[in-house]
């Protein structure tokens, strides 16, 4: 069990550029989640995948954000035309299928700074 | 009203004392409740889960749930400097997709030697 892996860990970009983050969940986990966390706040839900199907998207996820999980394994989160307000830590989490105990296993996050 | 509310702190406690953290939630029919610990610059890690009214103890940690009052708490006994972190309360809404959780803003705890 290598845990949830995210990369890059840090990304600095200029406003207007596109960025993409990758998440590799724990191998036997069917469920994958993206959250966003800003300083001093708790994680905010962005989107959820069950296998390759994107089953829920937060209204926080504007049209500039898109997430995919093409083969039900790794996932990518792309932000187009970045804005300074997009600066945050982007957290990926995975969990087992079924009701389980609700434990989400988080990756170390990808920190985005938009200049 | 936020779905999950916590006092942001910081909650300062002397080493060896009990730290008491509180959380309230708005979705009356929520069934699952969690406490995550997050060290500065790190990702959240689960420390406790609780599903039914009453107390649940795990080592130095005790979670307390009162569904009628929509209230969850976490007690940390014999607090250690290594307990200094932000503690996130999380709730699984009744109609949550998958294991989606809604988090509070977190309470920062500082344990002073």
């Amino acid at each position: 069990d290598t845990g949830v892996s995210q990369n890059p860990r840090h990304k600095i970009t200029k406003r207007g550029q596109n960025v993409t983050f990758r998440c590799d969940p724990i191998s036997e986990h069917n469920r994958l989640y993206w959250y966003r966390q800003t300083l001093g706040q708790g994680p905010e839900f962005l989107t959820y995948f069950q296998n390759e199907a994107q089953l829920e998207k937060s209204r926080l996820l504007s049209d500039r954000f898109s997430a995919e999980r093409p083969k039900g394994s790794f996932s990518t989160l792309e932000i187009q035309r970045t804005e300074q307000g997009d600066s945050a830590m982007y957290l990926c989490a995975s969990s087992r299928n079924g009701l389980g105990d609700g434990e989400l296993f988080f990756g170390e996050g990808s920190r985005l700074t938009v200049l | 009203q936020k779905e999950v509310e916590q006092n942001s702190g910081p909650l300062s406690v002397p080493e060896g004392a009990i730290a008491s953290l509180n959380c309230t939630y708005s979705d009356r029919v929520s069934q699952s409740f969690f406490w995550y610990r997050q060290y500065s610059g790190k990702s959240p890690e689960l420390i406790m889960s609780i599903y039914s009214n009453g107390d649940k103890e795990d080592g130095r940690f005790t979670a307390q749930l009162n569904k009628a009052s929509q209230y969850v708490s976490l007690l940390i006994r014999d607090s250690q400097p290594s307990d200094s972190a932000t503690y996130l309360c999380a709730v699984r809404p009744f109609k949550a997709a998958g294991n989606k959780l809604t988090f509070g803003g977190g309470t920062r705890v500082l344990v002073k030697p």
Side-chain angles (χ1 to χ4, degrees):
Chain A
D1 181 356
T2 57
V4 179
S5 176
Q6 292 187 247
N7 64 82
R9 294 290 309 279
H10 302 274
K11 179 70 176 179
I12 300 174
T13 191
K14 293 183 179 179
R15 188 177 54 185
Q17 298 296 304
N18 299 344
V19 296
T20 299
F21 301 116
R22 175 177 169 130
C23 171
D24 289 89
I26 294 171
S27 58
E28 64 267 27
H29 286 183
N30 291 24
R31 297 176 171 178
L32 186 147
Y33 313 78
W34 285 98
Y35 282 80
R36 179 172 66 189
Q37 187 175 27
T38 53
L39 195 63
Q41 302 298 315
E44 294 177 300
F45 172 78
L46 293 179
T47 192
Y48 157 64
F49 289 86
Q50 169 95 17
N51 299 311
E52 66 276 8
Q54 188 174 22
L55 297 185
E56 185 171 343
K57 290 171 59 174
S58 166
R59 59 181 180 276
L60 293 175
L61 215 64
S62 77
D63 291 344
R64 298 184 297 105
F65 288 71
S66 62
E68 294 182 338
R69 194 182 183 198
K71 297 183 179 179
S73 57
F74 72 92
S75 175
T76 58
L77 177 68
E78 181 182 18
I79 308 173
Q80 296 183 325
R81 305 181 303 281
T82 52
E83 301 173 356
Q84 288 185 327
D86 297 331
S87 295
M89 176 74 84
Y90 289 85
L91 293 166
C92 177
S94 68
S95 71
R96 290 191 305 263
N97 203 16
L99 292 177
D101 61 3
E103 179 170 6
L104 301 187
F105 293 82
F106 283 89
E108 290 299 323
S110 293
R111 181 171 296 283
L112 173 64
T113 301
V114 181
L115 302 176
Chain B
Q1 181 187 9
K2 290 184 178 180
E3 293 180 70
V4 181
E5 296 208 55
Q6 299 179 250
N7 188 318
S8 62
L11 175 65
S12 183
V13 296
E15 184 175 358
I18 295 175
S20 178
L21 292 76
N22 303 317
C23 170
T24 58
Y25 60 94
S26 60
D27 183 356
R28 183 174 295 276
V29 295
S30 295
Q31 297 295 316
S32 306
F33 308 88
F34 306 87
W35 285 98
Y36 280 76
R37 177 176 62 201
Q38 186 173 29
Y39 292 113
S40 181
K42 299 295 185 180
S43 59
E45 57 177 333
L46 181 70
I47 53 172
M48 289 286 288
S49 58
I50 187 166
Y51 306 99
S52 45
N53 283 329
D55 296 359
K56 178 181 178 183
E57 187 175 317
D58 184 358
R60 296 185 295 110
F61 297 98
T62 299
Q64 299 173 317
L65 174 61
N66 183 327
K67 290 185 180 180
S69 300
Q70 295 173 237
Y71 175 92
V72 192
S73 65
L74 180 70
L75 300 177
I76 307 174
R77 289 183 302 282
D78 187 25
S79 296
Q80 301 297 309
S82 59
D83 295 325
S84 296
T86 296
Y87 291 80
L88 299 164
C89 175
V91 175
R92 186 195 296 163
F94 179 63
K95 294 185 177 180
N99 293 6
K100 169 192 168 184
L101 298 179
T102 300
F103 287 84
T107 298
R108 192 158 67 98
V109 172
L110 297 175
V111 180
K112 296 186 175 181

